[in-house]
Amino acid sequence: MSRIALQLLFRRTLLAIPILLCVSALVFGILRLLPADPIAMSLPPGATAADFEKLRQSFGLDRSIPEQYVIWLGRLVSGDLGTSIYFRRDVGDLIAKALPATLELVLLGLALGVALGIVGGLAMFSWRGRMGEQVLDLGTTGLMAIPEFLWAILLILAFGVALPILPFIGRLSPDLVLPPSVTGFLLLDSLITGNLRVLGSALWHMVLPAFALAIGVAPLVMRVLRSSLLDVIQEDYVTQARLRGIPEQTILVRHALKNAALPTISLIGVQGGFMFGGTVLVEMIFAYPGLGNLMVDAVRNHDLPVIQAVGLVYCVLVLGINAIVDVVYLAANPKLRVA
């Protein structure tokens, strides 16, 4: 990694600190202003007032909101995310178990979406002025009009019910046992342990939810790439390449595509951040045990420590994706490196 890229990452890290503080304070304050009482929701029907007060004190909810935030922030700096009110487990352990599943799903969905978008964008550009471009243009409009969670339901009905060829519940077949945890990522752990049956089953279960996420990304990538190619193809260096007798396909792949990819890279970064938000409903629909499902359970039970931690993790993931995209954009654009 170049010195300029390291400097960029360092600046992004410094800027992320006040953003995380603002987000954490906002989420922390709003959650405590809501009328729901997490302690009352977690106690059994026969609990007494003394039980209620004891549990309230153990979670520090008897203190003022600013005092609670300062205590929570101090524990957060030391790596303590608190204890779940509903699950009665360490929040860090809950997130460590759910986060790898969501990361695997997002990375696969993003890869599928980008691949489909690049192929579709090149096809739209190649068929410009023809019927094929109009058909793809109309198709992308229809795809963007349908949200991710509705695509998830349609895919289940099509390939899980009408044509039962793909699983749509859970992360693994019930007859298989999870491999020993090495990295926490199921796909990597199954590869490391050589358990190909678990690897195949995990990938098979990820097909439908990954496609539900990918469909939301692919049409935007197609449109932006097509528009960028239409702009780049008018540049002088492309005209000069044609005059030298270079084939049109070579010009497209070696010259035009490289410059047209810059706006697409920025779009991919933005959509990658949005995709984490889209996993909440998609994971719930497919009963996929990821961070989104954990967030839904926490919101349903008003589990404040889990909601705070998951919200902070989402913020860190989005900031991390944006920083990575900035570095990739810097590597792909020599003008920025010179500046």
Side-chain angles (χ1 to χ4, degrees):
M1 188 178 292
S2 67
R3 180 177 60 86
I4 300 176
L6 289 175
Q7 290 176 350
L8 178 63
L9 285 178
F10 180 72
R11 288 198 299 268
R12 290 291 183 268
T13 303
L14 291 180
L15 289 174
I17 295 175
I19 294 175
L20 290 174
L21 286 174
C22 291
V23 170
S24 64
L26 186 63
V27 173
F28 195 95
I30 291 176
L31 287 175
R32 277 151 183 78
L33 294 177
L34 296 176
D37 191 337
I39 302 300
M41 295 174 66
S42 64
L43 285 173
T48 63
D51 296 330
F52 176 84
E53 191 60 31
K54 182 179 179 181
L55 194 60
R56 185 176 176 83
Q57 291 177 1
S58 66
F59 283 100
L61 297 177
D62 57 328
R63 304 172 183 266
S64 65
I65 294 178
E67 191 176 357
Q68 291 181 46
Y69 178 71
V70 171
I71 294 173
W72 177 78
L73 197 61
R75 291 176 177 174
L76 178 65
V77 172
S78 64
D80 183 10
L81 296 176
T83 303
S84 168
I85 298 175
Y86 176 74
F87 296 101
R88 296 292 197 276
R89 290 177 56 189
D90 184 72
V91 176
D93 292 340
L94 292 172
I95 292 178
K97 184 178 180 181
L99 180 59
T102 297
L103 287 176
E104 288 178 343
L105 182 60
V106 169
L107 289 176
L108 181 58
L110 188 60
L112 286 173
V114 171
L116 292 173
I118 291 175
V119 172
L122 292 175
M124 291 178 70
F125 175 75
S126 300
W127 296 338
R128 60 190 182 279
R130 305 179 193 173
M131 181 64 69
E133 182 190 19
Q134 298 178 8
V135 172
L136 284 177
D137 188 42
L138 183 62
T140 56
T141 303
L143 292 175
M144 290 188 297
I146 302 177
E148 294 164 338
F149 72 90
L150 187 53
W151 276 118
I153 296 173
L154 293 176
L155 289 172
I156 289 175
L157 293 176
F159 299 103
V161 179
L163 300 173
I165 57 177
L166 290 171
F168 57 89
I169 294 178
R171 193 183 180 193
L172 203 63
S173 297
D175 59 323
L176 296 178
V177 180
L178 289 172
S181 180
V182 180
T183 64
F185 293 87
L186 179 59
L187 299 181
L188 285 179
D189 291 343
S190 58
L191 277 175
I192 293 172
T193 58
N195 198 330
L196 298 182
R197 286 190 62 200
V198 171
L199 176 63
S201 178
L203 288 173
W204 204 234
H205 279 75
M206 291 174 67
V207 171
L208 290 183
F211 262 105
L213 294 173
I215 293 174
V217 175
L220 294 171
V221 174
M222 290 171 62
R223 285 174 168 266
V224 171
L225 182 59
R226 188 269 306 267
S227 300
S228 300
L229 285 171
L230 290 175
D231 292 336
V232 169
I233 209 68
Q234 307 296 329
E235 296 290 337
D236 293 338
Y237 69 88
V238 175
T239 303
Q240 293 173 5
R242 288 199 185 103
L243 293 175
R244 290 199 300 268
I246 299 177
E248 194 71 23
Q249 288 297 111
T250 304
I251 295 174
L252 174 63
V253 175
R254 294 186 180 180
H255 301 283
L257 184 59
K258 183 178 180 180
N259 292 312
L262 296 177
T264 309
I265 292 173
S266 300
L267 174 68
I268 291 171
V270 174
Q271 291 301 309
F274 287 157
M275 190 174 283
F276 279 102
T279 58
V280 175
L281 290 178
V282 170
E283 286 183 1
M284 186 177 65
I285 292 171
F286 287 98
Y288 192 83
L291 205 61
N293 240 328
L294 178 63
M295 185 65 157
V296 172
D297 288 338
V299 171
R300 184 183 296 123
N301 296 283
H302 203 62
D303 196 336
L304 301 183
V306 176
I307 298 174
Q308 293 160 187
V310 173
L312 198 62
V313 169
Y314 276 127
C315 184
V316 170
L317 291 173
V318 172
L319 292 174
I321 289 176
N322 289 333
I324 293 172
V325 169
D326 287 342
V327 172
V328 173
Y329 196 91
L330 180 68
N333 193 346
K335 295 180 180 179
L336 290 179
R337 295 198 297 273
V338 173

